[in-house]
Amino acid sequence: METIKTRFAPSPTGHLHVGGARTALFNFLIARQAGGTFLLRIEDTDRSRHDESAIAKICEDLRWLGIEWDEGIEVGGPNGPYRQSERLDIYRRYLRRLLDEGRAYYAFDTAEELDAMRERSRAETGGFRYPRPERFAGEEEAERARAEGRPVVARIRCPDTDVTVADESFGEITIPAGEQEDFIIQKADGYPTFYLANVVDDELMGVNFVCRGQEFLDQTWRQAVLREALGFREPRLLHLPLIMDRHGRKLSKRDGDVDVHAFRRAGYLPEALVNFIALLGWRPGGDREKFTPAELVQEFKTERLSKANARFDREKLLSFNTDALAAAGEDRLLAALKDYLSLHSTPIPAGDDALLRAVLRACRGIRTFADLVAKCEVLFGPDDAFQYDPQAVAKVLEKGAGYETLAELRPRLAATDWTAEALEALLEAYGVEKGLKMGKIAQPLRVAVTGSTVSPSIYETLVFLGKEKTLVRISRCLAERSAG
RNA sequence: GGCCCCAUCGUCUAGUCAGGUCUAGGACAUCGGGUUUUCAUCCCGGUAACAGGGGUUCAAAUCCCCUUGGGGUCACCA
C-alpha cells in the first residue's frame, strides 16, 4: 500500500483563515495518522490577488497552531519549487503536450464577448457552455491574435463521455458529457489556472490524497478530465463540509475576524483553537469533545466526517479556550502569555518570568489572555495615568463610607509588612474592629488603587503594586475627592 | 434557474449505516440558585429538538418517497 501524501495548498491573500486552518489540520492529521507526508504548496497563480507577505503569514499561523509540514515552502523537499509562480515552465510543458495532441486549443474571446455570449445563452436556454470551435486555432493564429491585442487563452477539450469522480465522503458524482464545458487552463497572462497547476503539481509532487472544502466538489470533474488527458493517477478524494457563520452563511471576513492570527492576538491558546476547529465537520461520536493535538492524531477518522455544514460558534470557542487555559500547566501558560504579550504593548513586564507566573496564578479563571491584561495592566502602569471609573467611584466610594475607610486604612497599611498574609490579617482585623464585611473594605481599596472594580484578589493586587505605589494611589484617590 | 449536498434542543451534536433498551443523552448559549472581596472561574438545578406529509413494519429519530427549508456550484478566483 502506497504511503499517504496529503497537501495544503493555499493561495496567498492574507493571514490563514479558520477554514484554511481546518483544511490544513485535517490533511495534517490524515498524513500523521497514516505515517505519511504532509506537504505545503503555495498556489499563487492569480497575480491580481497576490500578496507577497501572505506566504510568511500563513506559515507562521500554521506553526503557531502546531501544524508542521514535512515538505514544501520554507522547508524544501525533493519536488520543489513549492510556489506555483516559480513553476510556470512546467505547466507550459504540459499545456504544450495537450495542445499538440489536440486535447486543448486556443481561444481569443474578450471578457465582454464572453459576458455577452453568456447572457444571450442563458436567456435562451438557461445555461451556457463555451461553444467549441469546429477547427482549433494553431500557433500562427495565436500569434496574430496577440499582435492584434486580443487575449489568448487555452481551453481544454472535454471528452465526449460522462465523467465520474468518487469522493470518500459524498460518494460518486457524475457529470454528463453534455454538461461539461471546455474550461480555461491557461489565462491570457500566461499563468495556468488553478485547474491545470493544481493537477500537475499534485501529480509531480506525489500527492495521492486530496482533502479540501466542499466548495470544490462540483468542479472536481475538471481535474479528473485533466488528469485523464495528461495520463495522471487519480488521488483519493475527500471533501469537507463548509463552515458557516452564525447566520448560516458561508464564513467570511465580514463576520468579524476569522483569521487564525486574530485569535492569537485576542489571547487564545492554539491548542484550544485546534481542538475547536477539529470539530468543524468531524464528529468524534459519543459525548467527548476535548482532544489534545496528540489525541486528535490518534482519534481522527475520516469515516466520521459530516456532510452537513458546520457552524463557527464563537461562544463555544471561548468556552473551549477557558477550559484549555484552566487545564494548561504553568510552564505552558507562561510561554503562551509571553507570546501574547509580544504581540501587544502593555506595561506588564514580559521579561520577568517569576512575576508573570505570579500574575498567572492570580488570574486563574480568565477566558483569554486579554482578560488577564485587562485585569492586571493598571497594576504595572504609572500611578497617575489611569482614570477613575465614575461608576465605580459613585458606587463604592461615594455611596458608603469608602473614603473614610481609605483614610483610616492608609496609616495602617503604611505600617504593615507587605505580604499577602499580613495584608489579609490586617484587613480582616480592621473588618472585625469596624463591623465591616470584606466587600466594604476590599472594594474601596480596589477602586482607589486601580480606578475600577476589577482586579485580582485585593491581597494579590496590593502585593503586585507594592507598598509605596499603594499609598501613592490611595493619596491620589483621596486628593481627587477633595478636588471634586 | 440547472446540477449537487444537507435536515435531532437557539447552536454543535449522541443516537441513524446493522429499526425496539430514546418518556431522545451531552456540550455551548440561556434562565434560576449557590460559593466568592470585584471580574472571571467553579458548583447545583431548569427551559428547550427528532421540519411537514405519506408510506414500509408488530415496531421508525432511525428505511423509502414527496414537500418545505437551508447550503454549495455554475469565472481568464482558488
Side-chain angles (χ1 to χ4, degrees):
Chain A
M1 178 110 178
E2 196 182 11
T3 313
I4 284 182
K5 189 164 187 177
T6 61
R7 48 80 167 166
F8 176 51
S11 60
T13 55
H15 267 294
L16 182 65
H17 187 264
V18 295
R22 198 264 312 252
T23 302
L25 175 65
F26 286 13
N27 277 287
F28 169 80
L29 292 175
I30 289 166
R32 276 289 173 285
Q33 183 166 78
T37 307
F38 174 55
L39 177 149
L40 179 62
R41 179 176 73 224
I42 301 297
E43 307 217 327
D44 55 346
T45 54
D46 183 350
R47 291 197 286 186
S48 64
R49 290 205 308 171
H50 186 71
D51 172 5
E52 189 56 36
S53 71
I55 297 175
K57 287 177 185 162
I58 290 169
C59 290
E60 185 189 342
D61 295 339
L62 284 170
R63 290 204 177 96
W64 180 70
L65 288 172
I67 300 174
E68 302 279 346
W69 52 104
D70 310 297
E71 179 184 336
I73 198 84
E74 286 195 359
V75 307
N79 303 296
Y82 292 97
R83 43 189 297 181
Q84 296 184 326
S85 58
E86 295 174 6
R87 301 170 61 81
L88 266 24
D89 52 327
I90 298 174
Y91 310 126
R92 292 205 181 102
R93 274 210 308 277
Y94 284 97
L95 174 65
R96 181 77 265 151
R97 216 167 92 192
L98 291 172
L99 251 11
D100 289 346
E101 292 171 358
R103 304 291 301 256
Y105 59 90
Y106 289 117
F108 316 111
D109 316 270
T110 64
E112 297 71 41
E113 288 167 344
L114 282 170
D115 284 346
M117 284 162 74
R118 258 190 280 268
E119 207 171 315
R120 199 180 326 128
S121 170
R122 281 209 241 270
E124 287 164 11
T125 65
F128 172 73
R129 282 196 304 141
Y130 185 78
R132 183 182 301 161
E134 305 266 320
R135 189 188 58 81
F136 291 170
E139 282 316 315
E140 318 73 45
E141 281 167 89
E143 257 332 299
R144 206 176 313 135
R146 261 188 278 265
E148 288 167 7
R150 291 187 70 81
V152 177
V153 304
R155 285 177 182 269
I156 184 78
R157 180 196 196 288
C158 288
D160 302 310
T161 56
D162 297 355
V163 172
T164 297
V165 295
D167 182 85
E168 296 190 11
S169 186
F170 290 90
E172 290 197 343
I173 313 269
T174 297
I175 308 295
E179 288 177 19
Q180 300 164 25
E181 181 182 35
D182 288 349
F183 56 93
I184 292 174
I185 56 177
Q186 184 176 73
K187 304 182 247 185
D189 65 3
Y191 276 61
T193 58
F194 155 72
Y195 308 114
L196 211 214
N198 186 268
V199 155
V200 166
D201 286 347
D202 278 350
E203 170 74 13
L204 263 31
M205 295 179 185
V207 172
N208 54 22
F209 196 115
V210 171
C211 170
R212 66 230 297 201
Q214 194 196 142
E215 68 265 31
F216 293 95
L217 185 60
D218 285 328
Q219 50 93 52
T220 303
W221 68 271
R222 298 180 184 217
Q223 270 125 350
V225 164
L226 274 170
R227 286 198 187 93
E228 200 278 324
L230 258 8
F232 292 166
R233 293 159 303 173
E234 194 70 20
R236 289 172 64 180
L237 282 170
L238 183 66
H239 284 84
L240 271 14
L242 269 4
I243 302 175
M244 316 303 271
D245 66 19
R246 79 183 118 225
H247 308 296
R249 301 184 172 284
K250 198 174 161 187
L251 193 62
S252 84
K253 312 210 179 214
R254 271 187 304 248
D255 191 50
D257 285 323
V258 285
D259 287 340
V260 166
H261 190 71
F263 288 105
R264 183 182 182 183
R265 281 189 59 86
Y268 284 75
L269 243 25
E271 49 268 45
L273 230 201
V274 163
N275 189 168
F276 181 73
I277 284 174
L279 264 16
L280 259 22
W282 174 60
R283 310 175 305 161
D287 289 338
R288 172 132 99 120
E289 56 182 10
K290 295 298 172 57
F291 298 86
T292 64
E295 287 168 338
L296 285 176
V297 171
Q298 201 60 226
E299 304 294 329
F300 184 79
K301 299 271 183 304
T302 57
E303 303 82 64
R304 294 221 37 110
L305 283 173
S306 171
K307 293 205 265 184
N309 293 159
R311 198 171 302 240
F312 189 76
D313 182 349
R314 286 160 192 279
E315 298 292 341
K316 188 137 183 170
L317 205 210
L318 219 211
S319 161
F320 267 49
N321 200 61
T322 305
D323 292 347
L325 246 11
E330 198 176 285
D331 290 346
R332 170 71 195 116
L333 289 177
L334 178 65
L337 175 58
K338 291 174 95 162
D339 176 67
Y340 177 80
L341 292 176
S342 75
L343 263 26
H344 298 81
S345 152
T346 87
I348 299 175
D352 187 339
D353 284 10
L355 178 80
L356 256 26
R357 285 177 187 275
V359 169
L360 248 5
R361 281 192 291 270
C363 290
R364 288 197 188 90
I366 50 166
R367 298 173 304 184
T368 68
F369 285 130
D371 285 352
L372 178 146
V373 170
K375 210 167 175 174
C376 297
E377 189 171 38
V378 69
L379 301 179
F380 303 100
D383 296 330
D384 55 359
F386 64 89
Q387 300 292 310
Y388 283 98
D389 170 19
Q391 282 196 322
V393 170
K395 182 181 172 197
V396 176
L397 295 177
E398 290 171 347
K399 209 169 163 192
Y403 284 118
E404 289 63 38
T405 301
L406 287 176
E408 286 181 2
L409 240 21
R410 196 180 182 286
R412 300 191 189 208
L413 288 168
T416 187
D417 282 345
W418 212 255
T419 64
E421 296 70 33
L423 289 166
E424 182 168 0
L426 186 156
L427 295 187
E428 273 176 5
Y430 178 78
V432 170
E433 183 186 324
K434 301 288 174 179
L436 290 176
K437 286 189 172 180
M438 193 48 72
K440 295 288 182 197
I441 302 168
Q443 283 302 76
L445 266 178
R446 196 187 313 277
V447 173
V449 301
T450 70
S452 81
T453 56
V454 178
S455 84
S457 96
I458 192 62
Y459 315 116
E460 287 163 318
T461 295
L462 296 183
V463 168
F464 282 129
L465 221 40
K467 183 187 280 190
E468 193 186 337
K469 292 167 82 68
T470 298
L471 298 177
V472 168
R473 291 183 182 196
I474 292 175
S475 296
R476 177 189 162 198
C477 181
L478 261 12
E480 291 202 10
R481 178 201 193 185
S482 7

